[in-house]
Amino acid sequence: MGLDFSVVPKYLDIILLGCAYTVGITVAAAVLSFFGGIVFAVIALYAPWIIRQPFRLVAWMFMGTPLLLQLFLIYFGLVQVGIDLPAVVAGIIGLGLHFAVYNSELIQTAILSVDKGQMEAARTLGLSRGEALRKVVIPQAVRDVIPPISNNMIALLKDSALVSVIGVSELTLSAQRVIGKTYRPFEFYLLAAAFYYVINLGMEWVQRKIERRISMSR
Amino acid sequence: MTDEKSFVEIRHAQKAFGSLEVLKDISLSVAQGQIVGIIGSSGSGKSTLLRAINDLDPLTGGEVWLDGVQVNQKLPHRQYEKHINQMRQQVGMVFQHFNLFPHMTARENVKMAPMMLKGLSQEEANALAEEQLDHVGLLERIDYYPSQLSGGQKQRVAIARALAMKPKLMLFDEATSALDPELVEEVNQVMRKLAEQHMTMIIVTHEMDFAASVCDRVLFMDQGVVVEEGPPAILFTNPTQPRTREFLRKHLEGAK
């Protein structure tokens, strides 16, 4: 049979739509995981015991169980308590929270490694601890974790294929559907792989741009 | 207040880490406009005393008063936080390692606190930053990041940042100790200028010449107590205590 890419153009629109879903879900989940990571880190480090302990349990759940299970829980499980989320939203929340917990670990370490003198200088000017964290410590911590967080975001992109199990026609599922019609698995899986690669390149480009912007202010 | 003229008043300051006493019953009173130098070897407690004044290192006993208000008064946590933030706005502090905010330009370093805490508008804050950085001779570096400045320039920005809050009192914690020798003078000049403007200052320093030329009074601290104090002309040339003499002799040898 051999490889024959001549069937590709006919189904390209389906693949491209899947691509758009993958990009959209990834970007939305990445943003959620970034800001969620900051919030989680602050809770883990500074919240009173009564908030910190239950939060730890939730964080452990997100780190210690498969993402697949978490997606099932959010999409199928929550319906039972009356929360019926659209699959895309459930996917974004699942991916976002899952990676927020990972990002939070990185951000916590970074916050703790910001020089103590920074907090002192801010407090000396009269800022409260919260104000000092927000304006002085966290911005510096976040700068330090851009590279490792970027790695997490690449992992997030790859794991976004998992939301296909709750029926979101993202890139991988779109490829599968086209293959169901054409019986051309090799061509369309390769095509999907190529698209993932291109999205990857785009993410690396964004990362470099952010890093260049902050390289001055170290 | 025991003394009408006293602007900063430290009464029976004590600080202990477990059984280690860092400050042993220190009392000190500083009049408005006065410049007090604190000298002593490392571990003598001089930095701890300075940092107790704005409660950065809380005392375990004793009181600190600034302009008629007790700094370290006992209050419930939330009220105390509010109170101490209020007090700290009135006390500028300059650190040995500058502690500039590296993610902000010189301008942003200077204007952040006044904007957040005094509600200055962008324009007002910018004008203030320009004025303060001009004051320390760094107007042309206003939009530089700390990483683009020399140590002396960083310290001058740090002084401008503290002055932008219009403090009543300035604390200097070995402000020139981390600088290359050739950069010390530019920072000293800024401090001299402040002295001329009658800013009340407490200066922890290793530089005896500078202390002698600027301070109205110098304290020598050793092992958590003030061993001797007096006008620099007397303390440096004719100390009465053997420990002071010993310290000054060693310091002179070290300088050679």
Side-chain angles (χ1 to χ4, degrees), chain B residues 2 8 10 20 27 33 51 67 75 81 95 128 134 144 172 177 181 211 220:
Chain B
T2 45
V8 182
I10 298 170
L20 178 71
S27 291
R51 290 160 59 88
D67 201 10
L75 289 170
E81 281 295 301
F95 300 87
L128 177 67
D134 190 31
Y144 282 45
F172 291 86
S177 296
F220 168 64

Side-chain angles (χ1 to χ4, degrees), chain A residues 118 120 123-124 135 218, chain B residues 51 81 100-101 103 147:
Chain A
Q118 294 290 312
E120 279 186 357
R123 294 308 306 271
T124 301
K135 296 292 278 192
R218 287 196 174 269
Chain B
R51 290 160 59 88
E81 281 295 301
L100 285 182
F101 307 132
H103 58 301
S147 61

Side-chain angles (χ1 to χ4, degrees), chain B:
Chain B
M1 301 270 280
T2 45
D3 178 2
E4 272 209 348
K5 285 196 307 186
S6 119
F7 186 63
V8 182
E9 172 108 9
I10 298 170
R11 294 180 196 160
H12 307 292
Q14 285 169 311
K15 172 85 176 174
F17 297 103
S19 62
L20 178 71
E21 280 187 278
V22 189
L23 300 176
K24 301 169 190 164
D25 194 25
I26 292 184
S27 291
L28 165 70
S29 127
V30 181
Q32 188 153 24
Q34 217 178 33
I35 299 165
V36 174
I38 307 178
I39 59 169
S41 49
S42 42
S44 62
K46 55 191 194 311
S47 281
T48 311
L49 180 65
L50 193 77
R51 290 160 59 88
I53 294 173
N54 62 5
D55 206 46
L56 221 46
D57 272 349
L59 292 174
T60 43
E63 297 175 357
V64 179
W65 291 73
L66 171 67
D67 201 10
V69 182
Q70 189 181 349
V71 177
N72 60 341
Q73 52 187 280
K74 297 265 169 291
L75 289 170
H77 179 74
R78 282 195 172 196
Q79 268 170 282
Y80 184 72
E81 281 295 301
K82 240 179 143 174
H83 159 77
I84 198 67
N85 292 338
Q86 203 64 46
M87 294 307 293
R88 282 173 178 157
Q89 291 186 30
Q90 305 168 41
V91 181
M93 183 149 187
V94 176
F95 300 87
Q96 182 178 358
H97 295 289
F98 330 126
N99 295 351
L100 285 182
F101 307 132
H103 58 301
M104 300 182 190
T105 61
R107 180 199 298 274
E108 291 161 349
N109 264 279
V110 174
K111 75 181 191 182
M112 180 194 70
M115 276 186 77
M116 286 184 77
L117 303 173
K118 295 190 166 173
L120 265 63
S121 69
Q122 269 306 337
E123 297 86 64
E124 289 169 325
N126 274 322
L128 177 67
E130 281 157 24
E131 179 200 337
Q132 292 302 335
L133 285 166
D134 190 31
H135 186 80
V136 298
L138 283 173
L139 190 55
E140 77 278 13
R141 296 284 153 106
I142 190 162
D143 290 317
Y144 282 45
Y145 282 99
S147 61
Q148 300 166 301
L149 299 172
S150 73
Q153 291 169 337
K154 280 183 203 169
Q155 196 58 297
R156 282 147 69 197
V157 173
I159 294 173
R161 176 176 70 179
L163 290 174
M165 288 301 287
K166 312 280 181 197
K168 295 173 173 174
L169 165 71
M170 283 289 284
L171 308 174
F172 291 86
D173 191 2
E174 301 193 21
T176 54
S177 296
L179 296 176
D180 292 336
E182 72 270 21
L183 301 176
V184 168
E185 194 44 41
E186 59 186 84
V187 174
N188 283 348
Q189 262 172 19
V190 171
M191 290 168 70
R192 281 207 184 85
K193 208 161 140 186
L194 278 178
E196 282 160 22
Q197 293 158 352
H198 305 292
M199 172 65 80
T200 313
M201 298 197 266
I202 303 177
I203 302 169
V204 167
T205 184
H206 282 300
E207 278 187 89
M208 303 306 149
D209 291 340
F210 179 71
S213 67
V214 178
C215 297
D216 302 307
R217 226 165 92 211
V218 177
L219 277 68
F220 168 64
M221 279 182 69
D222 190 32
Q223 293 175 4
V225 294
V226 177
V227 176
E228 186 167 359
E229 67 163 291
I234 294 170
L235 189 113
F236 284 122
T237 54
N238 202 3
T240 58
Q241 299 295 320
R243 273 198 276 177
T244 317
R245 258 175 277 165
E246 175 77 354
F247 172 77
L248 290 172
R249 188 177 59 74
K250 275 191 183 154
H251 202 87
L252 226 67
E253 276 169 10
K256 278 174 196 163

